[in-house]
Amino acid sequence: MTDHTQYLSDAVTRIRPSGIRKFFDLASSMDNIISLGVGEPDYTTPWNIREASISSLERGFTSYTANAGLPELREEIARYLTEQFQTSYSPEDEVIVTSGASEAIDLAMRATVNPGDEVLVVEPSFVSYAPLVSLIGGVPVPVPTSIENGFKVTPEAIQDRISDRTKAILLCFPNNPTGTVMTSDELESVAAIVKQHDLLVFSDEIYAEMTYDAPHVSVPALQGMRDRTVLISGFSKAFAMTGWRLGYVAAPEPLASGMLKIHQYAMMCASTMAQYGAIEALQNGREEMLEMVESYRQRRNFFVGALKDIGLDCHTPGGAFYAFPSIRSTGLTSEQFAEKLLFAQRVAVVPGNVFGEGGEGHVRCSYAASLSQLEQAVDRMDRFIRSL
Amino acid sequence: MEKEKELLRLLEKNGRMPAEKIGRLLEMDRQAVEEMLADLEKRNVILGYSAVVDWTKADVPEGVTAMIDVKVQPKRGTGFDETAERIYRFKEVKALYLMSGTYDLSVVIEGATMTEVGQFVSEKLSTLDSVLSTTTHFQLKRYKHDGVVFGDKEDDHRMVVSP
């Protein structure tokens, strides 16, 4: 019998499977659960966007597009970034349409990080960041945040982890899994350290449209940051287009050009029909997007208040659609809490430790669920906590 | 004003939402919500609270709905308003709109049977002095009404847990 694992690369062997996957397998094996474990909108893509994509198929647009994406889409993205986030990019050579923001993150790292380079990853963080750094031989260095300061990263925490191997820092605000946003002043103080140490920033702003109490501050819009930032975003969250796998990366031309080399060999181009849908999203999708955001904000208010009522300490997330309550008062680890809650009350939440060590003691609850599901989930969580 | 708009949108989707829940969603206390509702009712912004019913699924005899295009001779001084008022006061009339185009008034009638609707049109509507002509269209099927799609909702296809 052949031992196929002998063929796996060292890099693949070294990284661990996603903790989310493990929990997915567990939750999927059960019936009648209320899921707060879903990292995507509970809306179906608005019809006009779906219709635009169907129409592109009807018209026979089924061939490759330019490697960097349809010129019309890149122009729309550049216009959108300028209007919404005051960042300016040339659609011809500074914007690349990718297969989801996930590919954009991978491109950004592969184009810039050498083996042995250190990349600072603010934790708790999206599950793929650290493994993607490891896969290219880089070294992910966690920069912890905590509930005490609302999961905001401080200049001191960054400073403490900078070495002469540090190449870049990866920021994600609004954050998955904490929902934390950073103010302009807070980001400015982070930017000062970044400039002082001549670092590159990978700024994942996929949740940028989903801020509830103050407008989003885009990292490349800060003074002197455009030239050292790779902006990552996409259509999944704001336009409820997760399954379309469509994202983009915007960066100064030399960096974009480096990323485009990888993209053209590895992916060729993003899906053509999805790109036509995305053009419609940017041209005519803002009204529906704002309605969705309003609804998430209302649910945020409801859900976070309800969590506090049942005794779970929870900071108020300023964006995305996640609450990240502390479950330390229960005396359980986050994995124990999530597992026991699932078995006892059939509510699926994601254990915080899958988002890095800083996530231990918390669980991620997505409030992209219907109001009645949220109400039921809180009732069940209340019963569960009382039973401990 | 922003909260008022949000409250109205919530009620438009679900007129039964209790004040306490509205308060939770909009970060207002229950009393403030109730005061806002009372004010909106007083100002006739909220005119009523109704349900969107799919009668084809209810265990009751199904009625018929007709949309009638009405051409009207407008009157000096009151235009179409006087005739419109005479029409909308009939209890069979569920909606009435002044239209641009080839006819003037669009009247929505609900009745128990086609005969009943026919009688209303021939005996009450057509006989009004200023009504010049009527064209009756019976509604065959409701696909969408008041923003609500009739039939089964789109399923949630999401995985149970995702990144």
Side-chain angles (χ1 to χ4, degrees):
Chain A
M1 190 86 172
T2 309
D3 174 17
H4 291 95
T5 57
Q6 66 179 310
Y7 301 119
L8 291 173
S9 71
D10 294 343
V12 165
T13 306
R14 263 198 310 271
I15 60 166
R16 290 183 307 165
S18 164
I20 282 207
R21 183 77 221 170
K22 186 179 135 201
F23 209 71
F24 169 75
D25 291 340
L26 187 62
S28 301
S29 64
M30 298 172 69
D31 293 328
N32 302 322
I33 64 169
I34 297 177
S35 180
L36 306 182
V38 187
E40 60 180 310
D42 62 332
Y43 290 97
T44 310
T45 310
W47 175 249
N48 61 320
I49 300 172
R50 288 190 264 168
E51 204 277 332
S53 190
I54 294 167
S55 164
S56 78
L57 290 177
E58 285 174 341
R59 287 178 291 156
F61 296 147
T62 57
S63 49
Y64 295 127
T65 69
N67 293 132
L70 289 165
E72 191 185 354
L73 176 56
R74 281 181 277 150
E75 274 167 31
E76 289 295 339
I77 290 169
R79 186 177 304 132
Y80 182 76
L81 290 175
T82 306
E83 286 173 10
Q84 297 287 304
F85 306 116
Q86 294 77 50
T87 60
S88 159
Y89 291 96
S90 151
E92 288 82 25
D93 47 20
E94 293 187 319
V95 176
I96 306 169
V97 180
T98 58
S99 292
S102 294
E103 191 213 346
I105 298 163
D106 191 35
L107 287 181
M109 291 185 186
R110 283 207 278 166
T112 57
V113 177
N114 288 312
D117 284 349
E118 293 178 356
V119 176
L120 305 180
V121 179
V122 177
E123 287 191 347
S125 71
F126 180 55
V127 292
S128 77
Y129 298 153
L132 286 177
V133 176
S134 300
L135 276 172
I136 48 173
V139 181
V141 177
V143 181
T145 60
S146 67
I147 193 169
E148 283 71 32
N149 62 353
F151 299 103
K152 290 170 188 261
V153 65
T154 61
E156 296 74 28
I158 296 171
Q159 185 83 55
D160 285 351
R161 280 148 189 94
I162 290 177
S163 76
D164 54 6
R165 298 295 301 170
T166 308
K167 180 75 169 274
I169 179 167
L170 201 158
L171 302 174
C172 172
F173 296 108
N175 181 271
N176 175 5
T178 64
T180 292
V181 300
M182 297 274 278
T183 65
S184 178
D185 286 349
E186 288 159 350
L187 280 174
E188 289 281 8
S189 62
V190 169
I193 301 274
V194 165
K195 285 185 262 193
Q196 183 192 337
H197 293 275
D198 200 17
L199 303 181
L200 187 62
V201 177
F202 304 129
S203 188
D204 182 350
E205 302 185 21
I206 186 82
Y207 292 97
E209 290 84 355
M210 295 172 181
T211 58
Y212 306 126
D213 307 313
H216 173 71
V217 182
S218 183
V219 171
L222 299 172
Q223 183 75 32
M225 288 303 288
R226 184 191 178 281
D227 279 351
R228 53 175 72 251
T229 301
V230 177
L231 173 68
I232 291 143
S233 195
F235 297 85
S236 290
K237 314 297 180 179
F239 298 101
M241 293 172 69
T242 52
W244 298 60
R245 307 314 305 127
L246 206 66
Y248 55 87
V249 59
E253 190 279 328
L255 294 175
S257 161
M259 288 186 274
L260 187 59
K261 279 192 209 168
I262 306 170
H263 177 71
Q264 71 188 6
Y265 290 129
M267 197 61 69
M268 198 82 81
C269 67
S271 147
T272 302
M273 64 184 103
Q275 292 189 57
Y276 281 101
I279 291 170
E280 173 66 18
L282 292 176
Q283 287 178 341
N284 300 306
R286 289 189 213 184
E287 195 179 327
E288 208 152 341
M289 181 251 282
L290 290 174
E291 277 176 32
M292 290 191 268
V293 173
E294 179 177 288
S295 160
Y296 292 131
R297 177 168 51 76
Q298 291 169 354
R299 286 182 263 174
R300 186 272 311 253
N301 296 341
F302 172 83
F303 187 63
V304 173
L307 286 179
K308 287 178 180 167
D309 285 351
I310 63 169
L312 291 180
D313 183 17
C314 186
H315 86 291
T316 301
F321 35 59
Y322 307 109
F324 203 59
S326 166
I327 48 89
R328 289 197 183 109
S329 59
T330 63
L332 301 173
T333 66
S334 55
E335 259 189 51
Q336 286 169 337
F337 182 95
E339 220 169 288
K340 283 174 187 281
L341 175 65
L342 183 65
F343 283 115
Q345 292 291 340
R346 300 195 170 242
V347 175
V349 297
V350 182
N353 67 328
V354 310
F355 305 103
E357 278 178 31
E360 182 48 59
H362 297 264
V363 291
R364 189 190 76 177
C365 308
S366 163
Y367 49 81
S370 72
L371 203 51
S372 69
Q373 282 178 319
L374 292 176
E375 282 176 306
Q376 285 180 59
V378 171
D379 283 349
R380 293 184 188 190
M381 288 169 83
D382 188 26
R383 276 203 292 278
F384 172 68
I385 291 166
R386 285 166 195 271
S387 73
L388 292 173
Chain B
M1 275 309 283
E2 200 51 43
K3 294 245 167 163
E4 193 172 283
K5 193 168 83 183
E6 278 190 59
L7 181 147
L8 289 169
R9 280 196 198 143
L10 283 174
L11 285 178
E12 210 173 36
K13 282 187 200 136
N14 177 9
R16 293 182 68 214
M17 192 177 280
E20 194 173 339
K21 196 190 280 185
I22 294 172
R24 267 287 168 92
L25 295 172
L26 304 186
E27 291 186 304
M28 296 165 70
D29 63 35
R30 184 198 168 123
Q31 197 188 337
V33 173
E34 281 169 352
E35 281 168 14
M36 193 178 269
L37 282 171
D39 179 55
L40 286 163
E41 287 168 18
K42 197 173 150 196
R43 285 160 45 209
N44 279 346
V45 177
I46 294 177
L47 299 167
Y49 301 86
S50 64
V52 179
V53 179
D54 186 349
W55 287 105
T56 61
K57 290 181 179 160
D59 191 18
V60 290
E62 212 179 319
V64 291
T65 301
M67 305 179 82
I68 303 158
D69 309 340
V70 186
K71 281 189 184 167
V72 174
Q73 178 67 56
K75 291 190 175 173
R76 185 182 294 274
T78 58
F80 295 100
D81 293 352
E82 191 183 314
T83 311
E85 190 175 336
R86 289 192 65 186
I87 295 174
Y88 70 60
R89 287 190 184 283
F90 288 112
K91 69 172 176 47
E92 295 89 337
V93 176
K94 297 299 168 190
L96 176 61
Y97 312 99
L98 178 64
M99 309 296 288
S100 68
T102 53
Y103 59 96
D104 305 305
L105 297 176
S106 175
V107 187
V108 180
I109 305 285
E110 279 178 19
T113 61
M114 281 174 76
T115 311
E116 194 178 297
V117 172
Q119 273 176 349
F120 175 81
V121 174
S122 60
E123 292 170 13
K124 292 175 178 166
L125 194 57
S126 306
T127 53
L128 290 172
D129 278 352
S130 46
V131 169
L132 302 174
S133 74
T134 63
T135 312
T136 304
H137 311 275
F138 283 100
Q139 212 177 72
L140 301 182
K141 183 175 177 179
R142 277 188 182 192
Y143 292 100
K144 190 176 183 181
H145 179 76
D146 263 359
V148 179
V149 173
F150 281 51
D152 297 325
K153 288 181 180 166
E154 279 178 337
D155 292 332
D156 189 346
H157 298 292
R158 296 180 300 170
M159 297 186 295
V160 186
V161 175
S162 71

